[in-house]
Amino acid sequence: MANGILIVDKPQEWTSMDVCAKLRGIFHEKRVGHGGTLDPMATGVLPVFLGRATRAVEFAAQGDKEYIAGLRLGVVTNTQDVTGEILSQNPVQVSREQLEAVLSAFQGEILQVPPMYSAIKIQGKKLYELARKGREVDRPPRPVTLHSLTVEDQTGPSEFVLRVHCSKGTYVRTLCHDIGQKLGCGGTMSTLRRVKASGFTLQQAVTLEEIQACQDPAALLLGVDTLFTQHPALDLEPAGEKKIRNGMTLPLPGTPEGIYRVYGQSRQFLALCQLEQGKLKTIKSFFEV
């Protein structure tokens, strides 16, 4: 049985769910989920969870993301990227220095209005369903955090490459749109490549072609514990392992409080646990029952 995390370099024009469906067929495993949606036009890091590892999907969505994005100034579209209908187009005279001067307004914690073409629900309706009917509704701004935002390159008179390190829930295409508004010329996202998500990087990613060509695709899977490497490991004695396997609290007096990756005698990853007041409690178990 396939259990683990596969870091996929998502191809363009595929949805994240398309990738999951493909992997269900390759691995003959029904339990497949991804750790953070990428739009069809985007490529790059898509963590996919198989088998028992799908229990970790909820933790994957919480992490920061890093992107390389194309910014095209002078163009505004209804989707805030180049796949949409052009609403306005203006000649552009913006230097790299002028662009860099406005980026400080978009760093740190900011409020971002979600785009109409998004899966966010308002009054039970997904925004993109309303947008396709030509409707626009008020969207409350949401707080997001941009840890860093830099200009990596200028590839044309109105074409720039940005590197964006941001919190979950950040819309990079909305960021491109808002930067264009700030400059007074309009802007849209021309390309998007995710280079880091949930602590995983492009260096760990494999393409669908590589997965299909692999004689043993299961060999490409990472252990689910790789999602939690920011937490220290804790090895248990047999009696303690039995308690954790049975869902019981394990007394560990003198052990520092915190969140731990907990392992059994065979170094099998058992659970993500919280230690408080000398007692170890399971947050989520990952061992096969």
Side-chain angles (χ1 to χ4, degrees):
M1 296 178 66
N3 290 293
I5 305 173
L6 188 60
I7 312 305
V8 179
D9 186 348
K10 189 191 84 65
Q12 201 167 34
E13 305 308 328
W14 284 58
T15 69
S16 300
M17 293 308 296
D18 288 339
V19 173
C20 289
K22 185 70 173 178
L23 295 179
R24 283 189 190 96
I26 293 173
F27 286 91
H28 308 291
E29 172 59 66
K30 292 181 180 179
R31 296 172 296 172
V32 179
H34 63 80
T37 301
L38 276 175
D39 288 342
M41 76 168 286
T43 65
V45 175
L46 180 69
V48 180
F49 297 74
L50 294 96
R52 185 76 172 174
T54 52
R55 292 172 61 80
V57 167
E58 64 184 278
F59 301 97
Q62 305 303 313
D64 293 343
K65 314 285 194 300
E66 191 169 338
Y67 299 90
I68 299 294
L71 168 64
R72 181 172 297 167
L73 294 176
V75 179
V76 176
T77 73
N78 63 340
T79 59
Q80 300 181 343
D81 61 39
V82 293
T83 68
E85 174 189 346
I86 295 177
L87 301 178
S88 66
Q89 200 160 358
N90 305 295
V92 173
Q93 289 185 325
V94 175
S95 67
R96 178 169 177 158
E97 291 72 24
Q98 288 173 310
L99 172 58
E100 288 175 334
V102 304
L103 293 189
S104 60
F106 298 94
Q107 300 205 43
E109 186 169 301
I110 64 170
L111 291 175
Q112 191 178 67
V113 177
M116 277 301 300
Y117 281 86
S118 65
I120 292 172
K121 286 186 177 181
I122 296 220
Q123 296 181 347
K125 292 285 188 179
K126 290 181 179 178
L127 287 176
Y128 69 78
E129 293 173 346
L130 298 174
R132 287 171 181 169
K133 294 177 182 177
R135 294 178 56 192
E136 183 160 350
V137 297
D138 288 334
R139 289 96 66 200
R142 298 182 168 201
V144 297
T145 302
L146 271 70
H147 303 288
S148 66
L149 176 61
T150 56
V151 181
E152 295 291 292
D153 196 10
Q154 181 171 4
T155 57
S158 61
E159 300 276 352
F160 295 87
V161 178
L162 304 178
R163 182 179 290 271
V164 185
H165 177 200
C166 56
S167 65
K168 70 163 191 167
T170 303
Y171 285 93
V172 179
R173 52 196 163 101
T174 298
L175 176 64
C176 290
H177 172 86
D178 292 347
I179 289 170
Q181 294 292 102
K182 187 79 171 176
L183 287 165
C185 61
T188 195
M189 187 178 77
S190 57
T191 59
L192 185 65
R193 185 155 176 77
R194 189 156 68 189
V195 296
K196 189 173 183 180
S198 306
F200 301 110
T201 66
L202 269 180
Q203 286 68 39
Q204 297 166 285
V206 288
T207 65
L208 289 177
E209 291 78 12
E210 289 171 332
I211 298 166
Q212 288 176 294
C214 185
Q215 290 187 341
D216 181 16
L220 301 172
L221 295 176
L222 303 175
V224 68
D225 56 336
T226 59
L227 180 65
F228 305 115
T229 53
Q230 70 272 33
H231 303 299
L234 184 63
D235 296 310
L236 299 183
E237 296 296 328
E241 177 178 348
K242 185 176 180 181
K243 284 194 172 186
I244 291 300
R245 284 182 177 273
N246 289 330
M248 300 169 67
T249 297
L250 175 64
L252 287 176
T255 306
E257 293 191 347
I259 296 175
Y260 288 88
R261 288 177 285 129
V262 174
Y263 295 85
Q265 285 299 288
S266 61
R267 281 299 295 172
Q268 180 190 6
F269 179 52
L270 299 177
L272 186 70
C273 294
Q274 175 90 44
L275 199 150
E276 286 183 314
Q277 297 179 342
K279 295 179 180 179
L280 189 69
K281 298 180 180 179
T282 297
I283 298 172
K284 199 84 160 186
S285 62
F286 294 100
F287 56 86
E288 284 294 330
V289 179

